[in-house]
Amino acid sequence: MGRQRRFAAAAEAERDIGATYYFRTSTFDPDIAREMEAQGHEVGYHYEDLAKVRGSVEAAHARFADNLESFREHVDVRTACSHGSPLSPHLNTDMWEDARTPEDYELVGEAYSGLEFDSDGSSDLLYLSDTGRDWSAHAPGLGSIRSTDDVVAAVESGTCPALYLLAHPSRWATTRYQTVERTGWDVAAEAGKIAAKNAHAVQRTGGRVAEGVGIARAIRSVATRMSRE
């Protein structure tokens, strides 16, 4: 994972592109973080505290403060971004539903707090994410965005007032072996997410399995994405 991040950060720095790299406590490497900061990138905290403490908001804030302080011993952290924790029923951003805000931790803000959409789901902001190894977006005037070439065309078109780009370098493949490896990981991860969703649905429905939830759906989803590549 560190190698891919270093490669991506170096490639962006060579092209005078500044990015924000968010680290979880399990992936944070002080040397890599300082290297990225020296290249002109921002380093942020990819938090999952509410899930880690099983929904206790007070404990989540205590853990968040401790981890943020630990990161700041090595780099200047100005923003935080919630990590999706599909194996937990708790949404990490819910820790901000009390009176406390990221500003209380001397942060500029939380990465997803600025995402605003109209009632019909439209926005001047084009949000692109490679989660699931498929950009899977639609840009007004450009149409469907599926491949990385589509992303490049969208950026170069100059028609997007604002672009929010989420990428996971650790999941990029540069060899056939890595393609097979990462696709296999996708199948396992998606199956795990669906299984977790199923378990959470059982909890919410008092023991009944929610309709339409199954591991087979996860496998079909990944197989469909593979057929497009």
Side-chain angles (χ1 to χ4, degrees), residues 5 55 58 75 102 156 188 223:
R5 288 193 182 206
E58 195 61 39
V75 289
E156 292 181 340

PDB file of all heavy atoms in Angstrom, residues 5 55 58 75 102 156 188 223:
ATOM      1  N   ARG A   5       1.019   4.482  -2.824  1.00  0.00           N
ATOM      2  CA  ARG A   5       0.791   5.867  -2.407  1.00  0.00           C
ATOM      3  C   ARG A   5       1.988   6.736  -2.758  1.00  0.00           C
ATOM      4  O   ARG A   5       1.829   7.867  -3.222  1.00  0.00           O
ATOM      5  CB  ARG A   5       0.526   5.926  -0.907  1.00  0.00           C
ATOM      6  CG  ARG A   5      -0.823   5.371  -0.487  1.00  0.00           C
ATOM      7  CD  ARG A   5      -1.121   5.753   0.938  1.00  0.00           C
ATOM      8  NE  ARG A   5      -2.389   5.203   1.381  1.00  0.00           N
ATOM      9  CZ  ARG A   5      -3.127   5.727   2.340  1.00  0.00           C
ATOM     10  NH1 ARG A   5      -2.721   6.814   2.943  1.00  0.00           N
ATOM     11  NH2 ARG A   5      -4.268   5.180   2.703  1.00  0.00           N
ATOM     12  N   GLY A  55     -20.194   2.752  18.500  1.00  0.00           N
ATOM     13  CA  GLY A  55     -21.299   3.693  18.562  1.00  0.00           C
ATOM     14  C   GLY A  55     -21.317   4.661  19.719  1.00  0.00           C
ATOM     15  O   GLY A  55     -22.229   5.497  19.801  1.00  0.00           O
ATOM     16  N   GLU A  58     -19.200   9.703  22.862  1.00  0.00           N
ATOM     17  CA  GLU A  58     -18.212  10.269  23.783  1.00  0.00           C
ATOM     18  C   GLU A  58     -16.864   9.575  23.625  1.00  0.00           C
ATOM     19  O   GLU A  58     -15.812  10.225  23.559  1.00  0.00           O
ATOM     20  CB  GLU A  58     -18.701  10.131  25.227  1.00  0.00           C
ATOM     21  CG  GLU A  58     -17.938  10.991  26.223  1.00  0.00           C
ATOM     22  CD  GLU A  58     -18.055  12.478  25.923  1.00  0.00           C
ATOM     23  OE1 GLU A  58     -19.151  12.923  25.527  1.00  0.00           O
ATOM     24  OE2 GLU A  58     -17.029  13.189  26.061  1.00  0.00           O
ATOM     25  N   VAL A  75       3.089  15.402  11.260  1.00  0.00           N
ATOM     26  CA  VAL A  75       2.689  16.248  10.136  1.00  0.00           C
ATOM     27  C   VAL A  75       1.589  17.209  10.572  1.00  0.00           C
ATOM     28  O   VAL A  75       0.966  17.028  11.623  1.00  0.00           O
ATOM     29  CB  VAL A  75       2.166  15.408   8.936  1.00  0.00           C
ATOM     30  CG1 VAL A  75       3.297  14.654   8.256  1.00  0.00           C
ATOM     31  CG2 VAL A  75       1.085  14.447   9.398  1.00  0.00           C
ATOM     32  N   PRO A 102     -15.634  19.659  13.772  1.00  0.00           N
ATOM     33  CA  PRO A 102     -14.203  19.531  13.454  1.00  0.00           C
ATOM     34  C   PRO A 102     -13.402  20.768  13.856  1.00  0.00           C
ATOM     35  O   PRO A 102     -12.220  20.662  14.209  1.00  0.00           O
ATOM     36  CB  PRO A 102     -14.206  19.328  11.932  1.00  0.00           C
ATOM     37  CG  PRO A 102     -15.510  18.652  11.662  1.00  0.00           C
ATOM     38  CD  PRO A 102     -16.482  19.310  12.613  1.00  0.00           C
ATOM     39  N   GLU A 156     -10.036  17.770 -18.683  1.00  0.00           N
ATOM     40  CA  GLU A 156      -9.488  18.602 -19.753  1.00  0.00           C
ATOM     41  C   GLU A 156     -10.559  19.412 -20.480  1.00  0.00           C
ATOM     42  O   GLU A 156     -10.248  20.398 -21.136  1.00  0.00           O
ATOM     43  CB  GLU A 156      -8.741  17.722 -20.759  1.00  0.00           C
ATOM     44  CG  GLU A 156      -7.469  17.102 -20.183  1.00  0.00           C
ATOM     45  CD  GLU A 156      -6.720  16.256 -21.205  1.00  0.00           C
ATOM     46  OE1 GLU A 156      -7.357  15.849 -22.209  1.00  0.00           O
ATOM     47  OE2 GLU A 156      -5.523  15.996 -20.987  1.00  0.00           O
ATOM     48  N   ALA A 188     -14.118 -10.717  -2.477  1.00  0.00           N
ATOM     49  CA  ALA A 188     -14.180 -11.024  -1.045  1.00  0.00           C
ATOM     50  C   ALA A 188     -14.716  -9.844  -0.245  1.00  0.00           C
ATOM     51  O   ALA A 188     -15.552 -10.007   0.655  1.00  0.00           O
ATOM     52  CB  ALA A 188     -12.798 -11.416  -0.541  1.00  0.00           C
ATOM     53  N   ALA A 223     -18.539  -9.147 -10.987  1.00  0.00           N
ATOM     54  CA  ALA A 223     -18.437  -9.793 -12.296  1.00  0.00           C
ATOM     55  C   ALA A 223     -18.890  -8.850 -13.404  1.00  0.00           C
ATOM     56  O   ALA A 223     -18.296  -8.812 -14.484  1.00  0.00           O
ATOM     57  CB  ALA A 223     -19.275 -11.073 -12.309  1.00  0.00           C
TER      58      ALA A 223
END
